[in-house]
Amino acid sequence: MKISYLLSIVFCVGSTNAKLMEHDLLAAEGMLKLGIHLAENGLPSPETCTLDKVSVRREWATLSGKERIAFTDAVNCLHKLPAKTPASVAPGAKSRYDDLVVTHIQQSLTIHGTGNFLTWHRYFTWTFEQMLRNECGYQGTFPYYDWAHYAEDPKSGPFFDGSASSMSGDGEYISGRNSSCFPWDGITGPCYMHLEPGTGGGCVTSGPFKDFKINMGPLQTMLQIPGGLPKNPQADGLGYNPRCLRRDISLQAANATSDSEVVRLIKNYKDIASFQAEYQGEFAAGRMGVHTGGHYTVGGDAGSDFYNSPADPAFYPHHAMIDRVWWIWQNLDLKNREKALAGSAGGIGDTTARNATLGDPLVMGPFVGYPNVTIGEAMSTIGGPFCYIYA
Ligand SMILES: *[C@@H]1O[C@H](CO)[C@@H](O)[C@H](O)[C@H]1NC(C)=O
Ligand SMILES: *[C@@H]1O[C@H](CO)[C@@H](O)[C@H](O)[C@H]1NC(C)=O
Ligand SMILES: *[C@@H]1O[C@H](CO)[C@@H](O)[C@H](O)[C@H]1NC(C)=O
Ligand SMILES: *[C@@H]1O[C@H](CO)[C@@H](O)[C@H](O)[C@H]1NC(C)=O
Ligand SMILES: [Cu+2]
């Protein structure tokens, strides 16, 4: 019964994706293994998540135009509701949407390159989904954006085509821009790799986020435009700095999210320490990584900003795909990977901090208003507070 339900989703994967790629086949194999694992071991949280309750996150292209618009309407709704973060904490927080941006900005140095990277972003993305549902009445599936399907041309797919049922498209093209160094500019830290200017650079001009405002940052963005971006009035980037949504779609970055790169990540990195490190990019070795590749594909002002990236709504379907690839990786060897954890409990690059543990908290903060959960509770998408899988 349980297995047949999961099998039907496996076939759903096959029937709804435009073209099945190798990583989609790994997803189907992982789903099968998840079904077998559940048949043998039961559900991790049977009191809160049973298979009849589980929601299925789907790829953007498999949603109808109406379903996509329901999602972007809900995002715009969240961006209109008043913030709960007081101005004394973040004068730039103008909406409920911004409450999440604040918490990401404040915690950036302790949620990337650390032991909690995957679990924190799983909980963050889920919290965004709950806010859409509970505060903006969203009832559809939570969409993910499978970059690998569009790695050769992100604008060819329904996510970035700029239509009314897209996530809005590229920014207006701005010429005469320089490449940017990352992870550092070569002055404050080493310049390991260059991101070349993409095909936009300016404001998005169509689609649901044409009038969307970025309120905070910029802090550490890759986007350089003639005259520069308007500076934030505060050094911590939390001051009010309203401006348009600028994007700069990059084929160079998209190439780092190709099927072959995703498959290489899933298959070649068998322990969590090397998996999460490769995922986030081994810049010193000249590899951007799938996670950074996805961010820099969107590029632009917020999209390429280490701190302020959730200010671009494309962040969330991108991070759902980050979560999906980790979920696939876990499913392929649940016995060893369901609770696999490595990395520091301190800040990025802090080599003196202790290692993260399953009991450490993942914090959304008092103004987002969702409770702390532990890293251990965030290890399964059908355990802890969660109850979803990916088609
Ligand atoms: C590009 O770099 C040159 C040389 O450093 C600099 O003068 C120019 O202002 C830069 N252009 C932009 C758009 O940042
Ligand atoms: C795209 O990525 C592949 C590795 O997946 C690499 O071999 C190739 O050089 C990259 N192409 C470009 C144009 O960067
Ligand atoms: C963290 O874990 C790694 C891998 O197990 C280990 O080599 C390292 O010594 C640990 N670090 C600390 C500070 O305990
Ligand atoms: C959540 O965890 C943080 C960090 O440990 C802590 O400061 C905060 O008090 C916790 N919040 C609650 C409600 O327990
Ligand atoms: Cu992040």
Side-chain angles (χ1 to χ4, degrees):
M1 172 73 180
K2 284 172 185 171
I3 293 218
S4 68
Y5 175 78
L6 287 164
L7 269 177
S8 69
I9 294 171
V10 172
F11 290 117
C12 189
V13 171
S15 61
T16 56
N17 270 316
K19 52 181 175 182
L20 267 191
M21 293 184 144
E22 195 180 342
H23 72 280
D24 295 312
L25 299 177
L26 290 174
E29 185 188 336
M31 181 74 92
L32 207 55
K33 288 186 166 165
L34 173 63
I36 294 165
H37 179 86
L38 294 179
E40 286 174 358
N41 300 281
L43 288 149
S45 311
E47 351 41 74
T48 51
C49 184
T50 49
L51 289 179
D52 56 313
K53 286 196 203 131
V54 82
S55 66
V56 181
R57 291 184 172 180
R58 285 164 48 203
E59 212 283 321
W60 186 258
T62 72
L63 273 61
S64 69
K66 246 178 103 171
E67 289 171 321
R68 291 178 202 143
I69 290 170
F71 179 76
T72 54
D73 279 353
V75 174
N76 277 320
C77 157
L78 207 60
H79 201 271
K80 288 194 180 78
L81 294 179
K84 293 191 176 167
T85 308
S88 57
V89 172
K94 296 295 180 190
S95 70
R96 274 299 274 158
Y97 185 97
D98 287 344
D99 289 338
L100 285 164
V101 179
V102 171
T103 216
H104 189 274
I105 289 176
Q106 289 176 325
Q107 295 184 66
S108 281
L109 295 174
T110 54
I111 54 172
H112 303 105
T114 48
N116 62 6
F117 166 68
L118 289 164
T119 45
W120 192 90
H121 286 81
R122 171 174 282 173
Y123 187 39
F124 185 69
T125 302
W126 180 87
T127 299
F128 176 69
E129 175 185 352
Q130 302 317 301
M131 287 164 64
L132 294 179
R133 294 190 188 289
N134 299 336
E135 300 175 47
C136 284
Y138 183 61
Q139 296 188 329
T141 182
F142 194 79
Y144 64 89
Y145 172 61
D146 186 339
W147 350 264
H149 285 257
Y150 312 100
E152 282 171 18
D153 186 5
K155 285 187 271 191
S156 67
F159 194 79
F160 283 130
D161 68 10
S163 67
S165 60
S166 71
M167 289 287 289
S168 285
D170 205 354
E172 205 159 25
Y173 181 64
I174 296 183
S175 60
R177 292 176 294 134
N178 297 324
S179 68
S180 303
C181 282
F182 65 94
W184 308 104
D185 54 11
I187 301 161
T188 52
C191 168
Y192 287 132
M193 295 184 75
H194 289 269
L195 181 68
E196 299 301 328
T199 52
C203 305
V204 306
T205 55
S206 64
F209 303 127
K210 164 168 74 64
D211 302 315
F212 197 87
K213 285 282 175 286
I214 306 287
N215 290 329
M216 287 169 286
L219 274 150
Q220 192 180 311
T221 180
M222 295 291 115
L223 181 65
Q224 301 177 48
I225 52 172
L229 285 166
K231 287 210 179 349
N232 197 280
Q234 294 185 191
D236 64 5
L238 298 175
Y240 186 41
N241 186 22
R243 57 202 190 279
C244 70
L245 176 60
R246 287 182 175 84
R247 286 191 181 147
D248 190 21
I249 288 182
S250 163
L251 292 178
Q252 179 201 353
N255 185 50
T257 66
S258 65
D259 183 51
S260 63
E261 282 300 297
V262 176
V263 169
R264 198 177 65 76
L265 171 68
I266 294 173
K267 283 189 166 174
N268 291 10
Y269 298 88
K270 296 184 189 304
D271 64 280
I272 188 67
S274 69
F275 175 77
Q276 70 195 13
E278 181 66 22
Y279 209 161
Q280 289 168 94
E282 294 283 18
F283 305 144
R287 295 198 301 278
M288 189 184 286
V290 173
H291 166 253
T292 309
H295 279 291
Y296 289 0
T297 296
V298 189
D301 179 344
S304 73
D305 191 315
F306 176 70
Y307 295 83
N308 195 36
S309 50
D312 185 325
F315 176 97
Y316 292 99
H318 159 58
H319 258 283
M321 182 64 187
I322 294 289
D323 188 56
R324 175 178 179 239
V325 169
W326 174 37
W327 174 81
I328 295 170
W329 183 87
Q330 288 184 301
N331 285 343
L332 289 171
D333 184 5
L334 279 164
K335 195 161 74 64
N336 293 308
R337 297 176 180 174
E338 194 177 11
K339 299 268 180 192
L341 177 63
S344 122
I348 185 171
D350 177 356
T351 49
T352 63
R354 68 172 173 82
N355 283 325
T357 67
L358 292 173
D360 289 346
L362 303 169
V363 181
M364 290 298 112
F367 310 118
V368 171
Y370 281 73
N372 291 353
V373 304
T374 65
I375 289 181
E377 286 172 317
M379 283 289 182
S380 169
T381 67
I382 50 173
F386 310 126
C387 194
Y388 67 86
I389 55 175
Y390 289 94

